[in-house]
Structure formats: structure tokens, C-alpha cells
Amino acid sequence: MRIPTITRRAGRIFAAMTVLVTVAGAATTSAAADNASTPGRLGQSSVRAENGAAAAPAATTRQTTAADQCGFVPAVPADRFKGIPVFNPVAAARPYTVVFHTTQGDITVKALTSAAPCTTFSFRFLIDHGYYNGTHCHRLTTQRIYVLQCGDPTGTGSGGPGYSFNDENLAGATYPAGTVAMANAGPNTNGSQFFFTWKDTKLRPNYTPFGVVIRGLDVLQKIAAAGEDDQNSAGDGYPNLYVGFRDVDVHAGR
């Protein structure tokens, strides 16, 4: 049950609706079932405000092994495909921070490697392969929820890295200002898209929190203050200030 991230590139999005329901393996079944039960959903990674306090949906069960406790599986679309991570628990445990050098200023994030090892491992994999360099944030919300959504190399809200993986760190998850969490298209459909909360936001614990902004919250708030174009709905659209990632750097051990 996620808000559709409608953009001007409608043709691309509706094509994505068709291909996303063909996700390989167990992800195919779960995504297709979720799509069928959610009216109007286009299938792209997103995050939405929820009414009431209903429990998070049960996570999809996947086959996992000692070599892949994260459930990395092939998925479509595969935009700017860099391969599929092979989980290494030793490497995943190493702390790091990320600096997003954006067109609006730098944002520094501490990765929660202990709480979300699979997510932070995937995130670092994509960064190390230059996946996010030259991409931009495609969605800003300013009513009910307060997020800046990024990580889609197509800039449409329908793009993905060619694989998906399991949710984690959801028990008791909250989303105060400065949270960095995964956007998704249903349980266990994490890919490349993520969001920053620029203000305390109430969400169901459906979105894996994997980082905390330690510098640059003022940059996010500046972006939010400039507003968005309402192209999705009132308070939900493309940021009025262009937010491009010139490059994204990993700094180990901080």
C-alpha cells in the first residue's frame, strides 16, 4: 500500500508496472500479490503516509543461506546494472559514513551497519560502483510525511539496480528527522531507492532504517523549504530545487 510516484515520464512508469511484477524467484510471487491487492499502485519503490496504527505487513519468506542471509535475488528493472552483491558478514560489519555531494550542499550519513547489515552492505556496494553518481532526487513530500526520495537512476520513481533483498531493522522502527531508510514496493523488495526524512515523520515500520544524517540536515530543510510541484498530489511532487548527486563517497571507520 504505497503512494504511486507519478511523474511526467508516464510511459516509463507504466512500462515499469509491467516488468516489476516479473521479479525473479520468491520476489515475483510476493510483489504480484501485493500489486493485485493495492488499487492504483504502479509498483515502483515509494513511501506513503498511513492512517491508523495497523501492524506492518508480514515479511515475505525467502530462501537464505549462510552465504546470502540477505536474500539477494535478481529483479527488474536493472538500470545501470552493476551486478548482484555477494554478502560478506565481515565486510558488512565495518563501520562507515557516506558523504553525498549534492547540488544543494553536502549531506553526511552514518551507516547503521550493526542494525541493518544487509542494507548497508548493498548501499556500499552500489556506492563503490558509482551507481548514484550523477543521479538526482525525484520526489519531495511536504504534507503528512516529510521525505526526500532519491536513488533511482532513471529519475522516475520506477528504476532499480537489477536485484532486490530482504527488509531488516523494522522492529520498533521510527522515522525522526535525519533518518535514512529504504523505499520499497512491498515487503522484501528493497533495491536502490531510499529516502531522507527532513522532519519527524510518522510511518508504519515498513521501511528499513539504515542510516542517520550527522551533518547536512539544514541542507535537507533548505530543499524542503523551497517546496515541490504537486505533480503527484498536494504536497507531493518533484523538488523545486534540483537535488543532484555530483558524487557519493564512502569513508571507512567513522
Side-chain angles (χ1 to χ4, degrees), residues 10 46 78 130 139 150 152 163 196 253:
S46 194
R139 183 188 183 206
C150 316
D152 175 6
Y163 65 87
F196 303 95

Short mmCIF file of all heavy atoms in Angstrom, two decimals, residues 10 46 78 130 139 150 152 163 196 253:
data_model
loop_
_atom_site.label_atom_id
_atom_site.label_comp_id
_atom_site.label_asym_id
_atom_site.label_seq_id
_atom_site.Cartn_x
_atom_site.Cartn_y
_atom_site.Cartn_z
N ALA A 10 5.27 9.36 -17.84
CA ALA A 10 4.22 8.37 -17.58
C ALA A 10 4.46 7.08 -18.35
O ALA A 10 4.21 5.99 -17.84
CB ALA A 10 2.85 8.94 -17.94
N SER A 46 8.40 3.30 -3.18
CA SER A 46 7.83 4.53 -2.65
C SER A 46 7.62 4.40 -1.15
O SER A 46 7.93 3.40 -0.54
CB SER A 46 6.51 4.84 -3.37
OG SER A 46 6.11 6.15 -3.11
N ALA A 78 16.62 -3.33 -14.29
CA ALA A 78 18.04 -3.37 -13.99
C ALA A 78 18.70 -2.16 -14.63
O ALA A 78 19.36 -2.27 -15.67
CB ALA A 78 18.66 -4.67 -14.50
N GLY A 130 29.85 3.41 -8.16
CA GLY A 130 29.47 4.68 -8.77
C GLY A 130 28.02 4.78 -9.18
O GLY A 130 27.66 5.64 -10.00
N ARG A 139 11.61 13.01 -5.74
CA ARG A 139 10.35 13.20 -5.01
C ARG A 139 10.59 13.91 -3.68
O ARG A 139 11.50 13.56 -2.93
CB ARG A 139 9.69 11.86 -4.76
CG ARG A 139 8.34 11.94 -4.08
CD ARG A 139 7.85 10.56 -3.70
NE ARG A 139 6.51 10.62 -3.11
CZ ARG A 139 6.02 9.72 -2.27
NH1 ARG A 139 6.76 8.69 -1.89
NH2 ARG A 139 4.81 9.84 -1.79
N CYS A 150 15.24 9.48 -3.21
CA CYS A 150 16.35 9.50 -4.16
C CYS A 150 16.72 8.07 -4.54
O CYS A 150 16.07 7.11 -4.10
CB CYS A 150 17.57 10.19 -3.53
SG CYS A 150 17.23 11.72 -2.61
N ASP A 152 17.06 6.57 -7.66
CA ASP A 152 16.58 5.98 -8.91
C ASP A 152 17.36 6.60 -10.06
O ASP A 152 17.20 7.79 -10.35
CB ASP A 152 15.09 6.23 -9.08
CG ASP A 152 14.54 5.76 -10.42
OD1 ASP A 152 15.30 5.13 -11.19
OD2 ASP A 152 13.37 6.03 -10.70
N TYR A 163 18.42 -6.07 -8.71
CA TYR A 163 18.28 -7.07 -7.66
C TYR A 163 17.41 -6.48 -6.55
O TYR A 163 17.19 -5.27 -6.47
CB TYR A 163 19.64 -7.50 -7.11
CG TYR A 163 20.43 -6.42 -6.40
CD1 TYR A 163 20.25 -6.16 -5.03
CD2 TYR A 163 21.38 -5.65 -7.07
CE1 TYR A 163 20.98 -5.18 -4.38
CE2 TYR A 163 22.12 -4.67 -6.43
CZ TYR A 163 21.92 -4.44 -5.08
OH TYR A 163 22.64 -3.46 -4.43
N PHE A 196 15.41 10.34 2.70
CA PHE A 196 15.79 11.09 3.89
C PHE A 196 14.52 11.67 4.51
O PHE A 196 13.65 12.17 3.78
CB PHE A 196 16.68 12.29 3.55
CG PHE A 196 17.95 11.99 2.81
CD1 PHE A 196 18.00 12.09 1.42
CD2 PHE A 196 19.11 11.67 3.49
CE1 PHE A 196 19.18 11.87 0.73
CE2 PHE A 196 20.31 11.45 2.80
CZ PHE A 196 20.35 11.54 1.42
N GLY A 253 35.33 3.60 8.74
CA GLY A 253 35.72 3.70 10.14
C GLY A 253 35.35 4.96 10.86
O GLY A 253 35.97 5.32 11.86
#
